[in-house]
Each structure stands twice: as C-alpha cells, then as structure tokens.
Amino acid sequence: MKRLIGALATAILLWAQPAVAQSILRDAETETMFADMSAPLIKAAGLSPRDVKIVLINDDSINAFVAGGQIVYVHSGLLQAADNVNEVQGVVAHELGHIADGHVVLGEAAMKPAMGVQLLSMVLGLATIAVGGGAAGMGIMAAGQQAAMGKVLSFSRTQESSADAAGARYLTTAGITGKGMLSFFKKLQNQEFRYGYTNIDPFAQTHPLSGQRIQALTADLQGSPAWNTPVDAKLQERFLRVKAKLLGYVGTPEQTLNKFPASDQSVYAHYARAYAYHKAGYPDKAEAEAEALIAKDPRDPYFEEIQGQILLESGKPQEALAPLRAATMGSGQNALIATTFGHALIATEDKRNLPEAVKILKVAVQRDEDNPFAWVQLGTAYEQLGDTPRAALATAERASMMGDTRTAIQSARYALANLPPNTSEWIRAQDIAMTSADAAASSKKKKRH
C-alpha cells in the first residue's frame, strides 16, 4: 500500500514542482534587462519590482515557471526561441498571474482532496481484495488513482487559464501589446503539431492546449488599447544583445560560429563570438572580439565587463583592472560586475590592491544577497589582510546562504569571539550563529521522525 501511495505522490509532485536543480545563469546585463522589461508588468500585477525577481535557468527547453515566493524562472531555451522581447514579456505576464493569484499555495491545497480520493479508493480496493475480489480491487484502486490525478490536472488547467487572463490584463494595464503573447503561444502550437500532438486528450494535460489558449485570449488582446503599441526599440536591442551573448555562453562554439560567422560584424556577432572563443580556449580571438565591441562603444559598461572578464580568466588580472573598474563605475556599481572587479584586484597578488577589493566587495554583498562568490572573495581579501575575524564572518555569511549550517555555526562563533562586542558585525555574527544552530536542531528533529 505504501508503494501505491508513493506512486501517486511522486506523480503529483513531478507535476506540481518543476525542476529547479538546473544551474542558474547570472549576468549583469541580462538581469538588468529582465528588471526593466518586467517592471511595468509587475506594477500592473499589484506587486513590487523590488520583491519580484526574474531568474535565468540553464536549460534548453522552452519553459518558464514559478515555484514559490515571488521568483519567475525562465529557461535559456525560451530566450533562444523568442524572436523579440515582447514575446518574453507575454510569458512573464502569465507567470506573474500565478504569483499574484497565489497559485503555488493553492496548488498545494488542491493536493489534499486528490490524495483523499486516492487513499479512499485504496482502502476500498484492499478490502475487496481481502474478501477474494482481486481483479475488482485492483480496478477500484486504478480508478481512484485516475480520478485523483484528474482532479489535480483539472485544477492545473484552471490555474493556467486564470494566469493567461491575468497576464493579458497586466499587459493592457502596462500599455504593452499582447502580440508577443499570442505569437509565442503560436510557437508552442507549432511545436505541438511538429511532435504529432494532434489527437491528444485535452483532459490529460496540465495546461490547456495552445490552440485553446490562443482562441480564449485573442479577442481581449486585440481589443486592448495597447494592441498596436510598438515594441520598445531600445529594449528590443538590449534583448538581442542578451540573446546573442547567451548563445555564445551556453551553445557550442560550432553552433555560435554557424549563426554568427566571422563575416558578421554586428554587435551581436562580436558578443557571441567573444564568449564562444573564450569558452573554447582561444584567448587572443576572444580578446579581439571584445576589443571590437569596445571600438563600437568605448563607454558601454557591459563591453568593458566582458573585456575585463576575458583578460582576468586568461591569466592577466593586472590588465583586467582598468576595464573592470570602468565597468563597475559605469554600471552604478552593479554587484555582479563589482564582484568580478574585486576578484581581479585580489588575483593580482598585490597587497596594495586589497583595501580597494574590500571596499568594492562590501558594497557588492550589500546590494546582492544571493551572491555567495562575493562573500568568498571578501573573505579571501580579509584573510590576506590578516583580519581573520571578518574573514570568518564572511565565511559564515556564505555558508549560511548555502545551507551549510555546520560551517556557518563554527565560523560565526569564531567571529563572535574575536570581533569588538556590540558592533554591527558582532551582532550579525550572533544572528548567524543562532539561526544556524536553530536550523541544525530542526534538521536533526526531522531526521529522527
């Protein structure tokens, strides 16, 4: 019986919780573009742009999802499939509908009646088997499982339709055309046709079929005052840059050079080839592509960033300092770029650069709470300066962020014992020591049960 219950629970969990184990891709230009692209939609959804994040996942499938909290996860494959930024806005608008309407929490609540149906069918089935009705008992259990899954799938389709309608409203409220939402659904419909999904059971799907979604949304989107609003040209340019550099980073060098051959001298081509050559181990070619970008716009902080990154990772940290310093300042001290700059300062192995590294990295960790690499670098800078208590505090911060409670407790307690009492850093070490100890105790209790 436990195995049968487990089978249903596993099936529902696979539906309810999209995989989040794929690696997260972090890039300053991409995250800034996401933030600017989505801000009007987030406000239209009644949410705060400060609280909602768009996170890029390294996965070549065409997908986006929410999995709790106010985070929209977008697969890299979706960006590559999209022709313009408006299509991505349509997808984000849909996902914001899930967040604003609390669908993740509601989905968990919907599991309970489904499990109730399944458990009841198992009890009846086992009772039937016990009195000699083996085939009938198995039939009851199978029917129960089908009914339970039907309840979950029906609830999922209702949520998806609701999120579609909400997304359409957000686009209209934000003054953004819904053409991208419809064109992206048409892409999905073409994919269904390509894979032969023409005679599938609509009641066995987690989402309404794409054709149904297009039919349900078309009138409202075409009737919106924003329908003929042109796509923001500057935002589209930024999207194409991001899409090109993403291909250079996640695609094979062969794929990138096929799409952007040497004869292509556009910004997008230089961007993509710079990453492709760098990844393939051709530093001279990568540097040449970065220099071509700088020649097009010497003050673009993202061009300066890639030039500095290539130099740093090619073993030239001293040469990387100037472009990375300029990129950090030009981007308003973007935390990701500042972290790379701080790393370069440390990598020069010149102790005179360490105070500047500490200054830059302290700002980076204050601005980006999800950047464990910045804490590693800050801890390294403190360690090399001989400031072991603050190095320990940085290690505690990183460990706490990563769920390494043992290291967090040990490092926080060392910092607590050696930092000046009642300072802000001492209080922070105390907080980490206490919360990490509580987390460790809670984990032990769960293991016992």
Side-chain angles (χ1 to χ4, degrees), residues 9-24:
T10 300
I12 296 177
L13 287 171
L14 285 172
W15 160 77
Q17 298 179 5
V20 291
Q22 302 100 320
S23 61
I24 290 174

Side-chain angles (χ1 to χ4, degrees), residues 5 24 49 67 100 110 201 234 277 281 285 394 435:
I5 294 173
I24 290 174
D201 179 3
K234 290 183 179 178
Y277 285 137
K285 289 184 176 182
T435 56

Side-chain angles (χ1 to χ4, degrees), residues 70-210:
Q70 297 190 23
I71 303 175
V72 176
Y73 295 92
V74 176
H75 285 199
S76 56
L78 190 147
L79 251 61
Q80 294 297 349
D83 292 324
N84 56 63
V85 71
N86 188 227
E87 291 187 339
V88 182
Q89 286 176 312
V91 173
V92 169
H94 167 92
E95 298 302 334
L96 290 173
H98 285 306
I99 293 174
D101 291 343
H103 285 171
V104 173
V105 175
L106 292 173
E108 291 172 357
M111 291 274 289
K112 292 180 181 178
M115 288 298 293
V117 170
Q118 174 68 4
L119 290 171
L120 177 60
S121 69
M122 285 184 179
V123 171
L124 293 174
L126 289 170
T128 304
I129 292 171
V131 295
M138 292 302 291
I140 290 171
M141 287 191 284
Q145 182 170 335
Q146 185 175 7
M149 187 57 71
K151 280 182 174 289
V152 174
L153 293 174
S154 175
F155 186 79
S156 173
R157 290 193 301 274
T158 300
Q159 285 189 324
E160 294 301 330
S161 296
S162 171
D164 284 347
R169 289 198 307 273
Y170 304 154
L171 288 164
T172 297
T173 302
I176 298 171
T177 179
K179 290 179 181 178
M181 178 178 260
L182 286 184
S183 64
F184 201 80
F185 279 145
K186 287 175 182 174
K187 279 187 171 71
L188 297 180
Q189 187 179 40
N190 289 336
Q191 191 177 54
E192 289 170 7
F193 293 153
R194 191 177 306 122
Y195 288 103
Y197 299 156
T198 52
N199 295 310
I200 56 179
D201 179 3
F203 299 106
Q205 310 306 310
T206 59
H207 290 60
L209 299 181
S210 299

Side-chain angles (χ1 to χ4, degrees), residues 260-274:
F260 296 105
S263 58
D264 187 343
Q265 293 297 300
S266 66
V267 164
Y268 321 120
H270 288 304
Y271 235 155
R273 290 197 299 264

Side-chain angles (χ1 to χ4, degrees), residues 21-78:
Q22 302 100 320
S23 61
I24 290 174
L25 297 176
R26 300 209 60 194
D27 170 69
E29 184 175 14
T30 301
E31 291 182 4
T32 303
M33 188 271 293
F34 275 156
D36 293 344
M37 170 199 79
S38 62
L41 295 167
I42 294 169
K43 291 175 184 175
L47 304 169
S48 170
R50 290 184 179 182
D51 298 329
V52 179
K53 293 181 180 179
I54 315 295
V55 173
L56 185 62
I57 298 288
N58 186 9
D59 189 308
D60 61 6
S61 62
I62 303 173
N63 195 22
F65 61 91
V66 294
Q70 297 190 23
I71 303 175
V72 176
Y73 295 92
V74 176
H75 285 199
S76 56
L78 190 147

Side-chain angles (χ1 to χ4, degrees), residues 328-346:
T328 301
M329 299 303 110
S331 66
Q333 288 201 301
N334 177 279
L336 291 176
I337 298 176
T339 299
T340 305
F341 178 38
H343 177 40
L345 287 164
I346 296 168

